[in-house]
Amino acid sequence: MKKSFLLLFAFTLTVNAKGFNPQMQQYINQLKSQAQKEKSGFTDFNAKRGQKIFTSVHIGKRGKNISCSSCHSINLQQTGKNIHTGKLIKPLSPFANTKRLSKVKDVKKWLRRNFNDVYKREGSAMEKGDVLYYINSAK
Amino acid sequence: MKKIYLVLIFMSGILLASDVKPINNQLALKECGSCHFAYQPGLLPKRSWKKIMRNLSDHFGVDASLDKNDNTKILNYYVVNSSDNSKQYLSRVITRYTRSDKTPVRITLGTVFLRAHDELRRSVFRRKSIQRAGNCIACHVSANRGIYNEDYVRIPR
């Protein structure tokens, strides 16, 4: 029962994902071929894994508990808030904010910074892809 | 003679109407402004901006790194318009009161900032509507236009 529920959930996540624009799709494809090299048996990114990367709490660069959700909130359709400066952050979900995940340069910049702040290291190709699938599908 | 002086002062007042020069660089506005109020270059001397832009991967404990190209462009803009390269009133005051053997990186710990805000309790800065001392625009309603004088202050509850 639980398993079929999970499968159904994973299925809805995939089906509901928005398509990436051509430049972003190209970046995703690059991440894919890199992930294939780094991990044997890799087939595709997974939004469910991405959700875990996004919501799990870690001791970050500042030595304190932090997750991606700390600034972007749990509901990606909602406005977030930068925990360091208090400045509001427009929703991360492309469903709520069509500008999101549209410029490769900005996406790369923020993934580099934000993984360093939360995980104290850069994300692997697989982690980046998983998290982008999650953000792209989060309703 | 005195009259000419007055006219001159009045005219320079119009030319330099802001206390610091507002930011007129889209890249700087976007990159600095994505996390916090985009502080004008005229609020710190150029040696401070050099230090800040050199250490962006550990920017007050946060990774704010930029690619090399954008970093150089923003640094150049901040150096050209730094307090020690500006004629505006507040920039000149900040330059004068910054010790030449120091390279401050926190505007809110500078002599000028502290003196200008010394009648405020620190708890005011921590109000929900303000959050922290560095959030200039919360009270200085025209801070984005480089106007910091008292006529343009409204402290929110």
Side-chain angles (χ1 to χ4, degrees), chain B residues 30-50:
Chain B
K30 174 187 174 224
E31 292 301 340
C32 311
S34 60
C35 292
H36 53 65
F37 173 73
Y39 307 106
Q40 288 90 0
L43 292 171
L44 285 174
K46 54 177 164 296
R47 60 183 181 282
S48 297
W49 294 121
K50 285 181 186 166

PDB file of all heavy atoms in Angstrom, chain B residues 30-50:
ATOM      1  N   LYS B  30      21.476  44.423  -9.687  1.00  0.00           N
ATOM      2  CA  LYS B  30      20.929  43.070  -9.680  1.00  0.00           C
ATOM      3  C   LYS B  30      21.713  42.185  -8.712  1.00  0.00           C
ATOM      4  O   LYS B  30      21.132  41.519  -7.861  1.00  0.00           O
ATOM      5  CB  LYS B  30      20.985  42.477 -11.089  1.00  0.00           C
ATOM      6  CG  LYS B  30      20.570  41.022 -11.142  1.00  0.00           C
ATOM      7  CD  LYS B  30      20.787  40.393 -12.520  1.00  0.00           C
ATOM      8  CE  LYS B  30      20.491  38.905 -12.467  1.00  0.00           C
ATOM      9  NZ  LYS B  30      21.486  38.084 -13.159  1.00  0.00           N
ATOM     10  N   GLU B  31      23.038  42.190  -8.847  1.00  0.00           N
ATOM     11  CA  GLU B  31      23.832  41.229  -8.078  1.00  0.00           C
ATOM     12  C   GLU B  31      23.868  41.571  -6.589  1.00  0.00           C
ATOM     13  O   GLU B  31      23.681  40.704  -5.755  1.00  0.00           O
ATOM     14  CB  GLU B  31      25.248  41.119  -8.649  1.00  0.00           C
ATOM     15  CG  GLU B  31      25.298  40.480 -10.039  1.00  0.00           C
ATOM     16  CD  GLU B  31      24.710  39.066 -10.073  1.00  0.00           C
ATOM     17  OE1 GLU B  31      24.609  38.422  -9.015  1.00  0.00           O
ATOM     18  OE2 GLU B  31      24.338  38.626 -11.171  1.00  0.00           O
ATOM     19  N   CYS B  32      24.110  42.823  -6.236  1.00  0.00           N
ATOM     20  CA  CYS B  32      24.153  43.186  -4.812  1.00  0.00           C
ATOM     21  C   CYS B  32      22.753  43.128  -4.225  1.00  0.00           C
ATOM     22  O   CYS B  32      22.542  42.725  -3.088  1.00  0.00           O
ATOM     23  CB  CYS B  32      24.731  44.585  -4.624  1.00  0.00           C
ATOM     24  SG  CYS B  32      26.268  44.841  -5.517  1.00  0.00           S
ATOM     25  N   GLY B  33      21.773  43.526  -5.067  1.00  0.00           N
ATOM     26  CA  GLY B  33      20.411  43.661  -4.558  1.00  0.00           C
ATOM     27  C   GLY B  33      19.647  42.352  -4.448  1.00  0.00           C
ATOM     28  O   GLY B  33      18.528  42.350  -3.933  1.00  0.00           O
ATOM     29  N   SER B  34      20.217  41.232  -4.893  1.00  0.00           N
ATOM     30  CA  SER B  34      19.438  40.002  -4.802  1.00  0.00           C
ATOM     31  C   SER B  34      19.406  39.451  -3.377  1.00  0.00           C
ATOM     32  O   SER B  34      18.539  38.648  -3.054  1.00  0.00           O
ATOM     33  CB  SER B  34      19.936  38.953  -5.798  1.00  0.00           C
ATOM     34  OG  SER B  34      21.273  38.633  -5.560  1.00  0.00           O
ATOM     35  N   CYS B  35      20.323  39.876  -2.528  1.00  0.00           N
ATOM     36  CA  CYS B  35      20.292  39.402  -1.134  1.00  0.00           C
ATOM     37  C   CYS B  35      20.000  40.503  -0.114  1.00  0.00           C
ATOM     38  O   CYS B  35      19.519  40.218   0.980  1.00  0.00           O
ATOM     39  CB  CYS B  35      21.617  38.752  -0.754  1.00  0.00           C
ATOM     40  SG  CYS B  35      21.914  37.195  -1.614  1.00  0.00           S
ATOM     41  N   HIS B  36      20.368  41.733  -0.446  1.00  0.00           N
ATOM     42  CA  HIS B  36      20.174  42.812   0.531  1.00  0.00           C
ATOM     43  C   HIS B  36      20.057  44.154  -0.172  1.00  0.00           C
ATOM     44  O   HIS B  36      20.257  44.233  -1.396  1.00  0.00           O
ATOM     45  CB  HIS B  36      21.336  42.844   1.539  1.00  0.00           C
ATOM     46  CG  HIS B  36      22.708  42.907   0.903  1.00  0.00           C
ATOM     47  ND1 HIS B  36      23.146  43.983   0.165  1.00  0.00           N
ATOM     48  CD2 HIS B  36      23.721  42.005   0.889  1.00  0.00           C
ATOM     49  CE1 HIS B  36      24.378  43.764  -0.251  1.00  0.00           C
ATOM     50  NE2 HIS B  36      24.760  42.558   0.155  1.00  0.00           N
ATOM     51  N   PHE B  37      19.755  45.192   0.562  1.00  0.00           N
ATOM     52  CA  PHE B  37      19.724  46.536   0.003  1.00  0.00           C
ATOM     53  C   PHE B  37      21.060  46.784  -0.703  1.00  0.00           C
ATOM     54  O   PHE B  37      22.123  46.496  -0.144  1.00  0.00           O
ATOM     55  CB  PHE B  37      19.513  47.561   1.127  1.00  0.00           C
ATOM     56  CG  PHE B  37      19.631  48.978   0.637  1.00  0.00           C
ATOM     57  CD1 PHE B  37      18.635  49.538  -0.135  1.00  0.00           C
ATOM     58  CD2 PHE B  37      20.770  49.733   0.916  1.00  0.00           C
ATOM     59  CE1 PHE B  37      18.757  50.833  -0.620  1.00  0.00           C
ATOM     60  CE2 PHE B  37      20.899  51.027   0.446  1.00  0.00           C
ATOM     61  CZ  PHE B  37      19.883  51.575  -0.326  1.00  0.00           C
ATOM     62  N   ALA B  38      20.990  47.294  -1.936  1.00  0.00           N
ATOM     63  CA  ALA B  38      22.223  47.514  -2.705  1.00  0.00           C
ATOM     64  C   ALA B  38      22.885  48.809  -2.234  1.00  0.00           C
ATOM     65  O   ALA B  38      22.498  49.906  -2.629  1.00  0.00           O
ATOM     66  CB  ALA B  38      21.902  47.567  -4.197  1.00  0.00           C
ATOM     67  N   TYR B  39      23.893  48.658  -1.367  1.00  0.00           N
ATOM     68  CA  TYR B  39      24.602  49.814  -0.804  1.00  0.00           C
ATOM     69  C   TYR B  39      25.352  50.549  -1.903  1.00  0.00           C
ATOM     70  O   TYR B  39      26.011  49.927  -2.737  1.00  0.00           O
ATOM     71  CB  TYR B  39      25.589  49.360   0.286  1.00  0.00           C
ATOM     72  CG  TYR B  39      24.945  48.502   1.336  1.00  0.00           C
ATOM     73  CD1 TYR B  39      25.176  47.139   1.390  1.00  0.00           C
ATOM     74  CD2 TYR B  39      24.047  49.057   2.252  1.00  0.00           C
ATOM     75  CE1 TYR B  39      24.546  46.339   2.335  1.00  0.00           C
ATOM     76  CE2 TYR B  39      23.410  48.270   3.196  1.00  0.00           C
ATOM     77  CZ  TYR B  39      23.661  46.915   3.233  1.00  0.00           C
ATOM     78  OH  TYR B  39      23.023  46.129   4.147  1.00  0.00           O
ATOM     79  N   GLN B  40      25.262  51.883  -1.869  1.00  0.00           N
ATOM     80  CA  GLN B  40      25.949  52.659  -2.901  1.00  0.00           C
ATOM     81  C   GLN B  40      27.462  52.608  -2.679  1.00  0.00           C
ATOM     82  O   GLN B  40      27.936  52.590  -1.536  1.00  0.00           O
ATOM     83  CB  GLN B  40      25.487  54.121  -2.851  1.00  0.00           C
ATOM     84  CG  GLN B  40      24.065  54.341  -3.372  1.00  0.00           C
ATOM     85  CD  GLN B  40      23.013  54.227  -2.285  1.00  0.00           C
ATOM     86  OE1 GLN B  40      23.339  53.983  -1.132  1.00  0.00           O
ATOM     87  NE2 GLN B  40      21.746  54.397  -2.648  1.00  0.00           N
ATOM     88  N   PRO B  41      28.233  52.655  -3.782  1.00  0.00           N
ATOM     89  CA  PRO B  41      29.696  52.661  -3.679  1.00  0.00           C
ATOM     90  C   PRO B  41      30.206  53.817  -2.813  1.00  0.00           C
ATOM     91  O   PRO B  41      31.233  53.688  -2.142  1.00  0.00           O
ATOM     92  CB  PRO B  41      30.181  52.820  -5.117  1.00  0.00           C
ATOM     93  CG  PRO B  41      29.001  52.632  -5.997  1.00  0.00           C
ATOM     94  CD  PRO B  41      27.762  52.645  -5.182  1.00  0.00           C
ATOM     95  N   GLY B  42      29.486  54.939  -2.805  1.00  0.00           N
ATOM     96  CA  GLY B  42      29.918  56.115  -2.053  1.00  0.00           C
ATOM     97  C   GLY B  42      29.818  55.981  -0.543  1.00  0.00           C
ATOM     98  O   GLY B  42      30.079  56.934   0.182  1.00  0.00           O
ATOM     99  N   LEU B  43      29.440  54.777  -0.063  1.00  0.00           N
ATOM    100  CA  LEU B  43      29.332  54.582   1.386  1.00  0.00           C
ATOM    101  C   LEU B  43      30.601  54.005   2.010  1.00  0.00           C
ATOM    102  O   LEU B  43      30.708  53.907   3.229  1.00  0.00           O
ATOM    103  CB  LEU B  43      28.132  53.663   1.699  1.00  0.00           C
ATOM    104  CG  LEU B  43      26.753  54.271   1.394  1.00  0.00           C
ATOM    105  CD1 LEU B  43      25.657  53.224   1.532  1.00  0.00           C
ATOM    106  CD2 LEU B  43      26.463  55.463   2.312  1.00  0.00           C
ATOM    107  N   LEU B  44      31.566  53.609   1.178  1.00  0.00           N
ATOM    108  CA  LEU B  44      32.840  53.091   1.699  1.00  0.00           C
ATOM    109  C   LEU B  44      33.978  53.518   0.762  1.00  0.00           C
ATOM    110  O   LEU B  44      33.754  53.712  -0.438  1.00  0.00           O
ATOM    111  CB  LEU B  44      32.826  51.549   1.774  1.00  0.00           C
ATOM    112  CG  LEU B  44      32.025  50.857   2.888  1.00  0.00           C
ATOM    113  CD1 LEU B  44      32.040  49.342   2.661  1.00  0.00           C
ATOM    114  CD2 LEU B  44      32.561  51.182   4.275  1.00  0.00           C
ATOM    115  N   PRO B  45      35.183  53.623   1.300  1.00  0.00           N
ATOM    116  CA  PRO B  45      36.328  53.955   0.438  1.00  0.00           C
ATOM    117  C   PRO B  45      36.702  52.777  -0.477  1.00  0.00           C
ATOM    118  O   PRO B  45      36.330  51.642  -0.212  1.00  0.00           O
ATOM    119  CB  PRO B  45      37.462  54.243   1.427  1.00  0.00           C
ATOM    120  CG  PRO B  45      37.063  53.583   2.691  1.00  0.00           C
ATOM    121  CD  PRO B  45      35.573  53.527   2.722  1.00  0.00           C
ATOM    122  N   LYS B  46      37.470  53.067  -1.511  1.00  0.00           N
ATOM    123  CA  LYS B  46      37.746  52.023  -2.516  1.00  0.00           C
ATOM    124  C   LYS B  46      38.508  50.846  -1.939  1.00  0.00           C
ATOM    125  O   LYS B  46      38.305  49.715  -2.354  1.00  0.00           O
ATOM    126  CB  LYS B  46      38.432  52.592  -3.754  1.00  0.00           C
ATOM    127  CG  LYS B  46      39.692  53.392  -3.545  1.00  0.00           C
ATOM    128  CD  LYS B  46      40.238  53.791  -4.925  1.00  0.00           C
ATOM    129  CE  LYS B  46      41.274  54.902  -4.876  1.00  0.00           C
ATOM    130  NZ  LYS B  46      40.740  56.197  -4.381  1.00  0.00           N
ATOM    131  N   ARG B  47      39.391  51.073  -0.949  1.00  0.00           N
ATOM    132  CA  ARG B  47      40.132  49.926  -0.405  1.00  0.00           C
ATOM    133  C   ARG B  47      39.162  48.927   0.242  1.00  0.00           C
ATOM    134  O   ARG B  47      39.405  47.721   0.239  1.00  0.00           O
ATOM    135  CB  ARG B  47      41.198  50.400   0.596  1.00  0.00           C
ATOM    136  CG  ARG B  47      40.670  51.158   1.799  1.00  0.00           C
ATOM    137  CD  ARG B  47      41.814  51.654   2.681  1.00  0.00           C
ATOM    138  NE  ARG B  47      41.325  52.363   3.872  1.00  0.00           N
ATOM    139  CZ  ARG B  47      40.878  53.598   3.883  1.00  0.00           C
ATOM    140  NH1 ARG B  47      40.836  54.299   2.766  1.00  0.00           N
ATOM    141  NH2 ARG B  47      40.455  54.162   5.012  1.00  0.00           N
ATOM    142  N   SER B  48      38.054  49.431   0.794  1.00  0.00           N
ATOM    143  CA  SER B  48      37.060  48.540   1.391  1.00  0.00           C
ATOM    144  C   SER B  48      36.361  47.699   0.333  1.00  0.00           C
ATOM    145  O   SER B  48      36.181  46.486   0.493  1.00  0.00           O
ATOM    146  CB  SER B  48      36.007  49.353   2.149  1.00  0.00           C
ATOM    147  OG  SER B  48      36.602  50.050   3.212  1.00  0.00           O
ATOM    148  N   TRP B  49      35.972  48.341  -0.767  1.00  0.00           N
ATOM    149  CA  TRP B  49      35.287  47.576  -1.832  1.00  0.00           C
ATOM    150  C   TRP B  49      36.212  46.535  -2.427  1.00  0.00           C
ATOM    151  O   TRP B  49      35.790  45.438  -2.782  1.00  0.00           O
ATOM    152  CB  TRP B  49      34.761  48.524  -2.912  1.00  0.00           C
ATOM    153  CG  TRP B  49      33.680  49.433  -2.411  1.00  0.00           C
ATOM    154  CD1 TRP B  49      33.688  50.792  -2.404  1.00  0.00           C
ATOM    155  CD2 TRP B  49      32.428  49.039  -1.819  1.00  0.00           C
ATOM    156  NE1 TRP B  49      32.520  51.277  -1.842  1.00  0.00           N
ATOM    157  CE2 TRP B  49      31.728  50.223  -1.480  1.00  0.00           C
ATOM    158  CE3 TRP B  49      31.828  47.806  -1.537  1.00  0.00           C
ATOM    159  CZ2 TRP B  49      30.475  50.214  -0.870  1.00  0.00           C
ATOM    160  CZ3 TRP B  49      30.579  47.794  -0.934  1.00  0.00           C
ATOM    161  CH2 TRP B  49      29.915  48.984  -0.612  1.00  0.00           C
ATOM    162  N   LYS B  50      37.499  46.860  -2.539  1.00  0.00           N
ATOM    163  CA  LYS B  50      38.450  45.876  -3.070  1.00  0.00           C
ATOM    164  C   LYS B  50      38.479  44.651  -2.166  1.00  0.00           C
ATOM    165  O   LYS B  50      38.470  43.513  -2.627  1.00  0.00           O
ATOM    166  CB  LYS B  50      39.848  46.486  -3.185  1.00  0.00           C
ATOM    167  CG  LYS B  50      39.979  47.448  -4.358  1.00  0.00           C
ATOM    168  CD  LYS B  50      41.384  48.011  -4.438  1.00  0.00           C
ATOM    169  CE  LYS B  50      41.478  49.074  -5.521  1.00  0.00           C
ATOM    170  NZ  LYS B  50      42.708  49.867  -5.413  1.00  0.00           N
TER     171      LYS B  50
END
